[in-house]
Amino acid sequence: MDIQTETKWHPLLSDPSDSRRPKPRETGRTMIMDKGLGPNAFQDLLSTSGPYIDLIKFGFGTSPLYPIPMLKAKIASAKAHGIGAFPGGTLLEAAVRLDVTDAFFRSALELGFDAIEVSDGTIDLDRQTRDALVREAGEYGFRVFTEYGKKLTGSRISLDDLCLTAERDLQCGAEAVTIEARESGVGVGLFDEDGKCREEELQQIVRRFPDADRLMWEAPQKEQQALLLRTLGPDVNLGNVSPQDAFSLETLRRGLRSDTFALHRMIAHYEI
């Protein structure tokens, strides 16, 4: 045996789904929610799961609580791994309420964030203001992700409203529209009070929305991720994933876990 030969797994075992693409990806994106990881834990996350993470959201309003050097270092590390970084939409909602949106955008840019989330999960935004925020973020050079839905427990998806909102957001320059499920995935949007998916509503959304690849589904629970992958395929965009679940979600995407074993593509073009 040649000791110089690189050891590697057979391609079919690395990705039985035969679907995963390298970054940057436009589909099959995974967005992680960071709720306060320390520098060492953050580096550990990137060293193991960096290739499988596309976006990191610094959840809700956590960004101003960090020492500035630490926050800048985390953002720079994420970007060095090809991962987009953005503050949670709740922080922009606070900036809107306090009438300091220009200062918010300038600070986000100076800190090194390369994306922004525009949402109205807590406040109410009229359509004109939402349009203006999406466009202003784009003018600053940010990638823009918007979010549809309220954070209040019991909030449901209005199919017509979702379609109108998403289509308008995309026209204004949003890269993708995220469907709200909070960090719990319980009792909000697509998921009921037990965290179960309202599958009929999911099918209605997929049928009605012509550009489903530009939707991102917040799905913090493993069962929710598995169902969306089985229903929509390994290229579905998933968000609000816990950092500790980034690695295991990738196994779900590739069919390397029993929950999504059916994603295997039994193909013949590899040499056995």
Side-chain angles (χ1 to χ4, degrees), residues 27-43:
T27 60
R29 291 184 288 196
T30 293
M31 180 265 279
I32 297 299
M33 176 182 274
D34 177 353
K35 297 188 288 185
L37 288 176
N40 292 335
F42 194 76
Q43 290 301 324

Side-chain angles (χ1 to χ4, degrees), residues 10 16 35 40 47-49 55 97-99 128 142 174 180 190-191 196 223 260:
H10 190 286
K35 297 188 288 185
N40 292 335
S47 65
T48 58
S49 304
L55 299 160
R97 186 178 186 185
L98 298 169
D99 195 23
Q128 184 177 4
F142 293 112
E180 175 72 71
L190 191 64
F191 304 112
K196 302 295 185 183
E223 292 77 10
T260 54

Side-chain angles (χ1 to χ4, degrees), residues 120-140:
D120 58 0
T122 304
I123 66 173
D124 291 320
L125 287 179
D126 60 68
R127 187 65 252 185
Q128 184 177 4
T129 302
R130 188 177 177 102
D131 288 355
L133 289 170
V134 173
R135 288 176 173 141
E136 185 176 2
E139 289 168 0
Y140 271 95

